[in-house]
Amino acid sequence: MPEITCREALNQALREEMDRDPSVFILGEDVGLYEGSFKVTRGLLARFGEKRVIDTPISEAGIIGMACGSAMTGLRPIAELMTVNFAIVAMDQIMNNVAVARYMFGGQCSVPLVIRAPGGAGHQLGAQHSHTLDSMFMHCPGLRVVIPSFPADAKGLLKSAIRSDDPVMFLEHEGLYAMKGEVPEGEFTIPLGAADIKREGRHVTLIAVSRMVYVCLEAAQALAKEGIETEVIDLRGLNPLDMATVLKSVRKTHRAITVEESWLTGGWGGEIAARIMEEAFDDLDAPVLRVGGVDVPMPYSKHLEKAAIPNAGGVVARVMEIL
């Protein structure tokens, strides 16, 4: 099985789905001639032409509005936002049209639209370009929220997202595009809403998405030196939410900690913790804990930014609190 980067895996998924289905097309800022801000759409304009890889003006609301309309009429658009921070400009379209159209029209239309958006901190881009908005989209009924971490997941989940009849927010982390991993060639899909156990353990469960999966795996390695076996669950998305895998793990380890890059207050970790308390309270040997980003606008200073993002040492410290 070839080893490729997450960027290449995403490109492979786009290329294969555009080959498979002529109704699939891409639109966004600099997705054609410039081949995307992070080069995920490299080579696609040359292969599929300007009718299927469309450079748009700088208007996120316009991009999502056009994508929504074309999806409602039977096409399968993939809208790329330069970063997820710019999704805030298009939130009216996302929440008031994309997410609710099927419901408002009584099921007479669907919106098979994928919105790809890179985000995350760690690159000294300041408070307006380092957002992690996973929880905001999770809070919006009607949207699927998919968040890959490993390259194979990126390919398999993106192909499934493109084939879905529901609108999908496909959230990529800018710090993971260069991560390498084995990726199956050709037809390979992963169902939406299926978490993956990235490491098995029996003493504590760590629950994460995106770059925080790698942080949890690093923490698990450190804890293993102390004889602590840590189970790491990669949710791979927040809607649908695979609580069955989470609860099964918690009933084995009896301890759970959520780890998210987004702000801790109002984050998705609180939702997971509440559901564990509601459905598996008697299986717990300790309270469910949360690790998350510091509740501050993301600092530009390199050292302050690093301090605002969860790290493996912080995860280890929280684990030791409940063992």
Side-chain angles (χ1 to χ4, degrees), residues 250-323:
V250 171
R251 289 182 174 121
K252 177 175 67 172
T253 66
H254 308 293
R255 298 171 180 84
I257 299 176
T258 62
V259 184
E260 59 188 308
E261 184 172 317
S262 51
W263 296 304
L264 194 60
T265 300
W268 57 258
E271 176 67 23
I272 301 281
R275 294 201 193 183
I276 293 173
M277 298 286 277
E278 289 171 353
E279 300 180 45
F281 182 79
D282 290 339
D283 295 292
L284 291 170
D285 285 345
V288 180
L289 298 184
R290 297 174 299 149
V291 175
V294 178
D295 289 333
V296 296
M298 189 57 66
Y300 176 76
S301 159
K302 182 178 181 179
H303 298 296
L304 291 177
E305 182 185 42
K306 186 177 180 181
I309 306 170
N311 56 46
V315 174
V316 169
R318 290 297 264 171
V319 169
M320 299 309 289
E321 289 180 34
I322 56 174
L323 285 176

Side-chain angles (χ1 to χ4, degrees), residues 11-301:
N11 180 275
Q12 203 172 93
L14 293 170
R15 188 180 299 261
E16 289 177 7
E17 289 306 293
M18 293 180 77
D19 273 333
R20 184 187 64 82
D21 184 349
S23 72
V24 177
F25 73 99
I26 297 171
L27 73 165
E29 298 159 8
D30 288 337
V31 296
L33 287 173
Y34 192 68
E35 301 183 315
S37 298
F38 296 93
K39 305 305 177 188
V40 173
T41 54
R42 176 171 287 161
L44 299 183
L45 175 63
R47 182 181 180 90
F48 297 102
E50 59 185 14
K51 287 188 177 180
R52 296 185 67 193
V53 182
I54 303 169
D55 279 323
T56 67
I58 302 174
S59 174
E60 286 74 19
I63 294 167
I64 303 304
M66 287 188 286
C68 180
S70 58
M72 291 174 68
T73 57
L75 298 177
R76 289 188 177 271
I78 303 166
E80 177 178 312
L81 298 177
M82 198 170 279
T83 84
V84 76
N85 317 281
F86 303 158
I88 297 168
V89 181
M91 283 305 283
D92 180 45
Q93 286 290 344
I94 294 171
M95 295 188 72
N96 278 328
N97 289 318
V98 172
V100 302
R102 176 184 286 181
Y103 175 82
M104 292 183 67
F105 287 97
Q108 297 180 76
C109 72
S110 58
V111 185
L113 160 63
V114 176
I115 302 174
R116 290 186 43 249
H123 301 86
Q124 280 192 277
L125 295 175
Q128 296 176 322
H129 289 74
S130 302
H131 292 96
T132 300
L133 302 176
D134 311 351
S135 302
M136 185 181 297
F137 299 118
M138 181 194 193
H139 188 63
C140 182
L143 284 180
R144 302 302 184 195
V145 182
V146 178
I147 312 170
S149 57
F150 281 38
D153 295 337
K155 177 180 178 180
L157 290 169
L158 182 54
K159 287 170 72 75
S160 293
I162 294 169
R163 298 179 190 187
S164 171
D165 286 334
D166 294 325
V168 178
M169 291 298 306
F170 197 89
L171 305 175
E172 303 159 9
H173 198 292
E174 296 171 13
L176 298 183
Y177 282 127
M179 297 296 289
K180 283 190 171 182
E182 292 187 340
V183 177
E185 294 181 288
E187 178 66 6
F188 170 67
T189 60
I190 296 172
L192 306 186
D196 186 42
I197 298 175
K198 290 292 195 278
R199 179 184 177 122
E200 294 194 359
R202 61 190 176 93
H203 294 135
V204 61
T205 300
L206 300 179
I207 306 155
V209 295
S210 192
R211 199 171 71 83
M212 289 299 108
V213 173
Y214 293 88
V215 169
C216 289
L217 290 172
E218 184 183 347
Q221 274 192 314
L223 290 163
K225 295 175 183 174
E226 306 297 325
I228 301 167
E229 298 177 20
T230 306
E231 185 141 300
V232 177
I233 295 179
D234 179 359
L235 292 173
R236 300 198 293 197
L238 298 174
N239 185 349
L241 182 59
D242 185 1
M243 280 304 298
T245 297
V246 172
L247 294 171
K248 183 178 179 181
S249 177
V250 171
R251 289 182 174 121
K252 177 175 67 172
T253 66
H254 308 293
R255 298 171 180 84
I257 299 176
T258 62
V259 184
E260 59 188 308
E261 184 172 317
S262 51
W263 296 304
L264 194 60
T265 300
W268 57 258
E271 176 67 23
I272 301 281
R275 294 201 193 183
I276 293 173
M277 298 286 277
E278 289 171 353
E279 300 180 45
F281 182 79
D282 290 339
D283 295 292
L284 291 170
D285 285 345
V288 180
L289 298 184
R290 297 174 299 149
V291 175
V294 178
D295 289 333
V296 296
M298 189 57 66
Y300 176 76
S301 159

